Amino acid sequence: MISFLRGTVAHIGLSSAVIDLNGAGMSVNATPQTLSSLRMGEEGKLYTSLIVREDSLTLFGFGSDDEREVFDVLLSVSGVGPRLALAVLAVHEPEAIRVAAHSGDGKAFTKVPGIGPKVAGRIVLELAGKLIPHGTAGAAAPAASSSSEAVWKPQVVAAMTSLGWSEKDAVTSIDKSLADSPELAGKGNVAEILRATLRWLGQDGARAGNRVGTRG
C-alpha cells in the first residue's frame, strides 16, 4: 500500500496533481483545498489511498492523515465511491464530517453536490459509531438526564426527515419505537435511537405508508 508520496510537484490540474518521484510521475486525485496547498516545482507531500479496480489503479491524495482516514471510512458506506467521498471532503473538514456522522446530521451531507436525502440518510446510518469527533470518549452515550431528550431528539428527527419522513411522522415514530425500548431514551445515543426507529417502522409494511415523497 502507498501511504504517502513526497516529491517535486510537476503539475497541478483542476482535480489532480502529478508528483515527480525521482523521474517517475505519479498522478494523484485530490480536493481543491489540497491542490491549492501545492506549489509547482517545490517539494510536496500527500497522504494517499490507493483504489484498486479491475481495470484501473487510482491514487487519491490528502493534506493530512486525518483526511485520508475519513475518506477510507466514507468508502465503507454502500453507494459511496471514491469520487463522492472526495466531494464530501471538498465541502466539509474531517472534524465536521465526524460531528455530522456522530450526531445524525444528515442535512450536512446534502450540502455535497451529488448527495440527496436518501444517500445522506444512508451515510448517517452506516457511519454511526465509525466516526467519532475528537475529544469524545469513544462511542459512549451521554449520561441519562431529564433534559437529555432535548439534546438527541432534534438530531434523530433531522435524520428521519433527511430519509423522507415528515417531521410530524418522524416524531410519532420515534416516540412509539421508544415505548418498546425505553432504555434507549435514557441513554440518548442518536445512532441507536435512529436504528431502533427504523427497525420499528420496518416491522409493519403499513407503517412505511406514512413516508412522504422522497426528495432529491
Side-chain angles (χ1 to χ4, degrees):
M1 177 179 177
I2 303 174
S3 296
F4 69 87
L5 297 177
R6 177 186 284 126
T8 303
V9 179
H11 173 75
I12 302 174
L14 294 176
S15 60
S16 64
V18 175
I19 307 297
D20 185 342
L21 304 176
N22 298 319
M26 300 289 287
S27 179
V28 187
N29 295 279
T31 65
Q33 298 93 316
T34 297
L35 293 171
S36 68
S37 69
L38 302 175
R39 298 291 179 268
M40 284 286 294
E42 297 183 8
E43 183 179 84
K45 178 181 178 180
L46 295 176
Y47 295 88
T48 57
S49 180
L50 177 63
I51 304 300
V52 180
R53 296 287 186 263
E54 289 184 2
D55 57 349
S56 66
L57 296 173
T58 308
L59 271 176
F60 290 84
F62 311 92
S64 70
D65 193 41
D66 192 32
E67 287 185 352
R68 178 178 60 184
E69 179 185 347
V70 171
F71 174 83
D72 288 339
V73 175
L74 283 168
L75 293 181
S76 69
V77 178
S78 57
V80 175
R83 300 289 179 182
L84 196 55
L86 197 67
V88 175
L89 282 164
V91 174
H92 296 296
E93 293 290 329
E95 186 64 6
I97 297 171
R98 292 177 186 278
V99 171
H102 187 64
S103 64
D105 182 9
K107 290 183 179 180
F109 293 103
T110 62
K111 296 178 181 178
V112 179
I115 294 183
K118 274 188 176 181
V119 176
R122 190 186 310 133
I123 290 174
V124 167
L125 187 61
E126 294 188 24
L127 290 188
K130 293 183 179 180
L131 287 177
I132 307 299
H134 294 307
T136 301
S145 69
S146 59
S147 62
S148 63
E149 182 174 320
V151 176
W152 60 257
K153 196 164 191 176
Q155 298 172 2
V156 180
V157 170
M160 293 289 293
T161 56
S162 75
L163 284 169
W165 275 273
S166 69
E167 183 173 339
K168 178 181 177 181
D169 289 333
V171 171
T172 300
S173 299
I174 293 166
D175 290 342
K176 289 185 177 180
S177 68
L178 292 184
D180 297 335
S181 306
E183 71 281 357
L184 291 181
K187 291 171 62 179
N189 185 289
V190 172
E192 289 185 6
I193 294 172
L194 176 60
R195 282 196 292 267
T197 303
L198 293 176
R199 282 197 299 269
W200 183 86
L201 285 164
Q203 287 173 1
D204 185 348
R207 294 171 183 163
N210 291 329
R211 192 170 182 176
V212 299
T214 304
R215 303 182 301 277

